Amino acid sequence: KIYLADLTHTTITVSNDSFPLGAGMVGAYAKAAHPDIYVEVFKYPDDLKQAIDRRKPDILALSNYPWNLDLDLSFLEYTKGMDKNIITVMGGPNISYNPAEQMKFLKRRENLLDFYTLYEGEPAFLEILEAAMANGFDLAKIKNSDFAGSIYLNDGEFVGYRPIARRKELDDYPSPYQTGLFDKFYDDVLSPMLETHRGCPFRCSYCHEGHVSYTKVNRFSMDRVLGDLDYIARHVGDRVKNFLFADPNFGMFPTDIEIAEKLVQTSRDNGFPKTVFATTAKNVGERLIA
């Protein structure tokens, strides 16, 4: 049983109202590799707590961003207080690239957080899952086994990151939309979010994709992107009008014109989307204006 969550605060409003794309991608990849496992993705804290109380997971994995770190930590504390053998994982850009700072991050959460996946989360999380399955979900045995893609503490000693090569064929990562993993999130509140490529040739210091590891740009196929857009349009309903791109440079490629045209046609046919949010390319102004 695997629970993955990209949590948002929901007190006054839903502070982050996008689909949990990263967690969903990780879950879909794990489920494709091991179809018999139970995978569920969460966005709302109340839903996750009810699920944990109803049926404890073997692994709890949380997306870590600046706006939900404290919320994540409260769930790690709650879960470990219930059963210290539940394996806890974090992933996401809210951590330093510096190993010394990474060790400090883990030391501060030593009794709460077991593993932190770095860079692309799909293969890194699968490495943890398969190490857990091979070792009977025994945490001590897992930490003494051989796997890559994560940092962690083993008997207080820092185990640094061992790289996993980035995937060039992004279609190898199944769509959480087209596999149905996201069907429960069409709730007239959350806005669908999609990525068409990963990586960025620019080295902006304020952006996590400015790191040298992300210089190479890899892309999803046009069939995959258009298939996701069709699926979303059929399921989104009448109230949600926003659509978000998670790309660092939407509009960089000539084929992005085809995606934009698809969005226009989808909007005409279905009334969705009315508004598109995107971080656009830096050096193709003519294409963006067109």
Side-chain angles (χ1 to χ4, degrees):
K1 300 178 296 295
I2 299 171
Y3 295 164
L4 302 107
D6 177 357
L7 296 174
T8 179
H9 293 278
T10 57
T11 48
I12 299 174
T13 185
V14 177
S15 61
N16 184 307
D17 62 354
S18 63
F19 275 47
L21 182 60
M25 293 290 296
V26 170
Y29 188 60
K31 183 71 173 175
H34 298 281
D36 293 337
I37 63 175
Y38 178 83
V39 174
E40 190 168 358
V41 183
F42 298 87
K43 185 71 178 183
Y44 301 122
D46 287 347
D47 291 346
L48 178 57
K49 183 179 182 302
Q50 290 172 18
I52 293 171
D53 290 342
R54 183 171 59 249
R55 186 184 185 198
K56 291 188 299 184
D58 296 292
I59 301 178
L60 174 66
L62 304 173
S63 298
N64 174 30
Y65 298 97
W67 53 83
N68 68 1
L69 173 59
D70 288 344
L71 187 55
D72 284 351
L73 293 175
S74 70
F75 269 93
L76 296 182
E77 185 174 2
Y78 182 75
T79 304
K80 284 292 192 181
M82 176 182 291
D83 185 346
K84 62 182 177 57
N85 294 311
I86 295 174
I87 298 167
T88 55
V89 182
M90 272 186 170
N94 189 29
I95 192 168
S96 174
Y97 288 117
N98 183 294
E101 293 299 318
Q102 292 171 355
M103 182 175 66
K104 290 179 184 178
F105 182 96
L106 294 175
K107 287 283 189 181
R108 289 196 294 269
R109 289 95 184 176
E110 187 164 2
N111 297 317
L112 302 178
L113 178 61
D114 296 319
F115 303 100
Y116 200 108
T117 63
L118 298 179
Y119 304 97
E120 291 188 338
E122 294 94 342
F125 181 81
L126 185 60
E127 290 260 333
I128 294 172
L129 172 62
E130 293 186 337
M133 296 171 73
N135 290 279
F137 289 82
D138 184 303
L139 189 55
K141 292 181 180 178
I142 297 167
K143 290 189 173 185
N144 284 308
S145 63
D146 185 31
F147 65 96
S150 298
I151 57 172
Y152 54 96
L153 299 176
N154 188 4
D155 288 332
E157 296 296 318
F158 177 68
V159 179
Y161 175 72
R162 189 153 59 85
I164 298 177
R166 288 180 60 203
R167 189 67 57 90
K168 294 181 179 179
E169 300 296 330
L170 293 186
D171 284 6
D172 291 346
Y173 298 140
S175 166
Y177 291 101
Q178 297 183 58
T179 56
L181 196 61
F182 276 176
D183 282 359
K184 72 175 186 177
F185 296 117
Y186 298 101
D187 61 356
D188 293 329
V189 175
L190 298 178
S191 297
M193 180 165 62
L194 196 64
E195 59 180 352
T196 70
H197 66 269
R198 293 181 180 179
C200 179
F202 305 105
R203 299 292 303 276
C204 304
S205 60
Y206 57 80
C207 178
H208 82 100
E209 288 196 76
H211 191 269
V212 65
S213 299
Y214 294 105
T215 302
K216 175 66 176 178
V217 178
N218 300 317
R219 301 164 65 187
F220 289 93
S221 70
M222 189 61 62
D223 285 346
R224 163 66 174 273
V225 173
L226 299 185
D228 277 353
L229 291 176
D230 280 334
Y231 191 96
I232 291 167
R234 293 197 305 269
H235 290 79
V236 72
D238 298 326
R239 295 186 61 182
V240 171
K241 301 300 181 184
N242 295 336
F243 178 77
L244 303 88
F245 282 112
D247 302 338
N249 290 286
F250 182 73
M252 176 183 290
F253 304 103
T255 49
D256 290 344
I257 296 293
E258 184 178 348
I259 297 172
E261 290 171 344
K262 175 68 172 182
L263 285 171
V264 170
Q265 189 61 51
T266 301
S267 181
R268 288 171 178 166
D269 294 344
N270 301 281
F272 173 87
K274 293 297 185 185
T275 306
V276 175
F277 293 86
T279 301
T280 55
K282 284 75 173 172
N283 57 358
V284 287
E286 298 85 356
R287 186 179 303 140
L288 293 175
I289 294 170

